Amino acid sequence: MYAQGDGVEQSYEEALKWYKESADNDNASAQFNLGAMYQQGYGVDQSYEESFKWYKKSADNGSAQAKCNLGFMYEKGLGVKENYDRALNLYEESANSGNMYANFHLGLMYEKGRDGKKDYESAIACYRASFNLGLGQLPQELNPKKLPDLVKIVEKTHDILQDLEINKNTLPELNRTVTHFTSFGVYEKILSSEKIQPLRMSNIDGCNDPDEGKVLFKVLQGDEKYIPPIDSYPLITSFCQGTPENLPMWNMYADGAKGVAMIIDTNSLIPKTESKMATTALQIEKNTNTQNATPARLFRVLYINRENGLEGTTGEDGEILKKLLNLKNAIDELGEELREYAYKILIELAHIVKYDDYRYEQEWRLVRFAFKGDITNKTLKPCPNSQRVYMDAQTIHYQEITTAPKMKNEQYRYAKYLADKHNIKINPSKISFR
């Protein structure tokens, strides 16, 4: 409850205290979640060694997901000396319990092999089990030789996601802050409590662009019947680069220029762990107070020319479009029988691709992805009369608040009271409005 702010004020420190008490009494789920908090650095200093210790206790008490995460740490040498055999054994134990991620990583290990020995038959069996658990049941008559090709789609998609991800190594020097435009009501909800509340995240229904989530599939020239349903899309929060003095952004995203622009230290949006780790083995234990979803990740939006498609951009984005073209060719080679499953793999990437009609926004997105069925009413807090939700209470550092051009004086005074309460600088917009 404290980890997610479910019914109480969100606090990783309080969550850590209760997880620790339960973990000391040999509760496998609490031990797992304690390991996850040390791995992510939530409420504590990030430590792979401590994470390994608690994952091992959880695995010893029977947690299949802990065995998967432990296998990943042995495979990569995180918090423990690298050990291929131990990783393989842990993946196998977890996979035998029906864990999707363990099956996938086990398939990768079998396919890559060791000392020149590869086991394609076992790899295919593991991939089939993984996709059945995560993407829906694959037809039994499917040609098993095609499954490694589907895995290649996963790897190509992940490669493009890494190119678009903002992390400590790729954060541009001039983009140390980003701006989040929002309504006064949301601003009040975030700052009215003693502790700053989580950022709002929206699903596709909360976005203005009618092509939201569809642009990637359109430029790949796919059949719209294969586009995954809305309820399997990730949740996002949007930011723009540059000055908040942007009248179109005020009008579009700040309640008709009556809301606020919250200027945020970009570093506070960046996860403390490597994204490659977060999107592979290390997931959150199901059926606990911590959600089975990837940690939120920060991406820059890729803008694609509506007319030229994959041929329309040069420079850095041109290289990414070449990879997208390569991805398109790989999907085309799969044939009809696997296209539906390939499209499901693209869901996260699809949510950070837009037509360049919106390039003026210079948008970055905080994205949190969860497999269908992992998001429940217990882990999301609905915002009244909308499809929007609040989740993922990261420690966001608000450097400054700018109030909108149309905000009235009495509302500005209340906005200033809330900002002063949290020692955040606040100023009215310099844009004149009569």
Side-chain angles (χ1 to χ4, degrees):
M1 292 175 71
Y2 280 108
Q4 293 295 326
D6 184 12
V8 295
E9 192 169 288
Q10 191 276 341
S11 169
Y12 286 128
E13 291 74 17
E14 280 295 310
L16 191 78
K17 181 181 78 173
W18 291 106
Y19 281 147
K20 181 69 165 59
E21 183 174 321
S22 185
D24 286 339
N25 288 315
D26 264 358
N27 183 287
S29 292
Q31 290 166 339
F32 178 93
N33 289 330
L34 205 54
M37 293 186 78
Y38 275 108
Q39 178 255 318
Q40 301 289 352
Y42 287 162
V44 291
D45 291 334
Q46 192 270 341
S47 170
Y48 288 135
E49 289 74 17
E50 279 295 306
S51 177
F52 176 87
K53 180 182 83 173
W54 289 107
Y55 281 145
K56 187 176 187 309
K57 287 177 181 290
S58 181
D60 289 343
N61 281 320
S63 169
Q65 187 63 66
K67 290 176 183 178
C68 176
N69 289 14
L70 208 56
F72 188 82
M73 298 186 88
Y74 271 114
E75 182 186 357
K76 303 299 181 183
L78 299 170
V80 67
K81 186 177 179 181
E82 189 176 313
N83 188 323
Y84 181 95
D85 291 326
R86 186 72 183 120
L88 188 69
N89 290 338
L90 284 163
Y91 282 147
E92 286 177 341
E93 289 180 29
S94 182
N96 288 336
S97 297
N99 186 279
M100 174 180 68
Y101 308 105
N103 274 287
F104 184 80
H105 283 274
L106 196 56
L108 289 174
M109 293 187 81
Y110 282 136
E111 185 180 0
K112 292 175 183 176
R114 186 182 185 188
D115 300 329
K117 297 178 181 179
K118 301 181 180 183
D119 186 348
Y120 287 114
E121 188 174 335
S122 295
I124 287 170
C126 289
Y127 289 147
R128 177 181 285 279
S130 178
F131 284 115
N132 282 352
L133 289 165
L135 296 178
Q137 198 71 19
L138 292 173
Q140 286 299 318
E141 65 274 13
L142 186 69
N143 184 350
K145 292 182 180 179
K146 287 283 187 179
L147 280 171
D149 295 333
L150 204 55
V151 173
K152 298 299 188 294
I153 304 300
V154 175
E155 293 173 334
K156 290 178 186 295
T157 302
H158 178 70
D159 184 39
I160 296 170
L161 285 169
Q162 283 195 306
D163 287 343
L164 294 171
E165 185 169 13
I166 305 298
N167 55 47
K168 290 181 180 179
N169 296 322
T170 63
L171 180 63
E173 188 65 35
L174 296 178
N175 296 105
R176 295 304 181 187
T177 62
V178 289
T179 303
H180 180 61
F181 290 89
T182 191
S183 68
F184 188 83
V186 171
Y187 168 78
E188 182 181 19
K189 184 174 180 66
I190 290 174
L191 295 186
S192 60
S193 301
E194 289 302 314
K195 287 190 176 182
I196 294 176
Q197 294 302 296
L199 275 174
R200 183 186 72 194
M201 302 193 85
S202 305
N203 63 13
I204 195 171
D205 281 344
C207 299
N208 294 331
D209 183 1
D211 287 317
E212 186 68 52
K214 299 178 182 178
V215 175
L216 177 63
F217 300 113
K218 288 182 176 181
V219 298
L220 293 178
Q221 298 174 352
D223 191 324
E224 288 201 15
K225 71 180 182 181
Y226 293 125
I227 296 178
I230 287 173
D231 61 0
S232 61
Y233 274 72
L235 297 158
I236 64 167
T237 300
S238 296
F239 310 90
C240 76
Q241 303 170 60
T243 174
E245 302 295 9
N246 185 323
L247 194 54
M249 296 297 287
W250 280 121
N251 280 320
M252 285 279 285
Y253 301 110
D255 199 18
K258 297 177 183 176
V260 299
M262 307 182 77
I263 301 168
I264 298 170
D265 178 358
T266 310
N267 275 303
S268 68
L269 299 173
I270 296 174
K272 297 178 175 64
T273 56
E274 294 293 326
S275 63
K276 192 169 185 179
M277 197 171 173
T279 55
T280 51
L282 291 170
Q283 303 294 326
I284 302 300
E285 185 86 309
K286 261 191 171 180
N287 302 322
T288 69
N289 290 326
T290 307
Q291 189 169 314
N292 183 28
T294 63
R297 299 164 63 189
L298 186 65
F299 297 95
R300 66 180 181 87
V301 169
L302 175 66
Y303 295 103
I304 295 181
N305 185 276
R306 188 183 291 271
E307 301 299 326
N308 299 328
L310 297 181
E311 307 294 333
T313 308
T314 58
E316 181 184 8
D317 284 352
E319 292 303 310
I320 295 176
L321 291 188
K322 287 180 183 177
K323 291 184 178 182
L324 274 176
L325 186 58
N326 184 272
L327 176 62
K328 175 187 181 303
N329 293 335
I331 292 173
D332 289 343
E333 291 173 5
L334 288 175
E336 286 295 308
E337 60 181 349
L338 281 180
R339 189 178 299 274
E340 176 185 354
Y341 302 98
Y343 274 22
K344 288 180 180 179
I345 292 166
L346 301 178
I347 291 172
E348 189 171 17
L349 178 59
H351 227 53
I352 52 175
V353 177
K354 300 181 73 170
Y355 283 130
D356 62 2
D357 308 351
Y358 288 85
R359 188 182 293 272
Y360 72 92
E361 294 180 351
Q362 301 181 69
E363 186 178 1
W364 287 5
R365 286 184 165 185
L366 194 67
V367 179
R368 183 159 188 161
F369 182 77
F371 285 98
K372 182 178 179 181
D374 289 339
I375 298 176
T376 69
N377 290 331
K378 291 183 179 179
T379 56
L380 298 181
K381 295 182 256 322
C383 185
N385 303 318
S386 81
Q387 297 296 317
R388 294 167 180 169
V389 296
Y390 290 85
M391 61 183 289
D392 199 359
Q394 297 190 68
T395 305
I396 305 300
H397 180 208
Y398 296 98
Q399 289 194 346
E400 188 176 342
I401 306 297
T402 300
T403 56
K406 293 184 182 180
M407 183 175 287
K408 295 180 179 179
N409 289 338
E410 58 270 24
Q411 198 169 33
Y412 175 79
R413 286 193 290 271
Y414 181 45
K416 187 176 187 308
Y417 163 75
L418 294 176
D420 290 345
K421 181 178 176 180
H422 296 282
N423 298 314
I424 302 172
K425 182 180 177 182
I426 184 168
N427 287 300
S429 170
K430 295 176 182 178
I431 296 176
S432 299
F433 183 84
R434 182 170 63 186

